[in-house]
Amino acid sequence: MPYYTRSMKTLTVRLPETLVAEIEAESRELQCAKSDAVVSTFDLADQLHRILDLMQKYAGVPMSMADACLVRMSETLADPVLLTTDADFPLYRRHSRHVAPA
């Protein structure tokens, strides 16, 4: 069994109530279910090669798998905005040249 499938954990994200209320209000306006408000299309298995490349490239920082996933996600979006408290994040580059937006 590959390493990443043995070590995968569930991540629970707690959002501020004001943000949840805003998402719910927008969902009602758009007539969509709560479960449709936030959709992740990121597939770790599909992106693993690029993530491991990023981790190797930034091994001296070091870059965690979570950091690599965020950088990779930002590479797949046209106008990404990331929220992180990681002090190393400004060192990472999208597509090897653009500062990762944090």
Side-chain angles (χ1 to χ4, degrees):
M1 178 182 296
Y3 168 78
Y4 65 90
T5 55
R6 285 181 293 165
S7 64
M8 292 177 77
K9 303 284 185 211
T10 299
L11 172 65
T12 301
V13 178
R14 298 201 182 269
L15 300 174
E17 288 189 29
T18 54
L19 179 58
V20 172
E22 186 177 327
I23 290 170
E24 288 175 343
E26 190 170 322
S27 296
R28 282 191 300 275
E29 287 176 23
L30 298 173
Q31 297 178 342
C32 63
K34 285 181 191 178
S35 62
D36 295 333
V38 178
V39 178
S40 173
T41 59
F42 187 78
D43 185 340
L44 179 61
D46 288 345
Q47 302 297 328
L48 188 60
H49 182 73
R50 175 67 179 139
I51 289 167
L52 294 176
D53 285 347
L54 285 165
M55 291 174 70
Q56 183 176 17
K57 178 179 180 177
Y58 292 102
V61 173
M63 176 184 259
S64 69
M65 181 172 275
D67 292 341
C69 286
L70 287 173
V71 171
R72 182 61 189 141
M73 284 182 210
S74 78
E75 290 177 337
T76 64
L77 300 170
D79 193 19
V81 176
L82 300 176
L83 177 63
T84 180
T85 58
D86 190 329
D88 293 326
F89 223 80
L91 302 173
Y92 305 141
R93 299 288 181 264
R94 297 174 67 226
H95 305 293
S96 297
R97 60 190 173 280
H98 303 290
V99 174

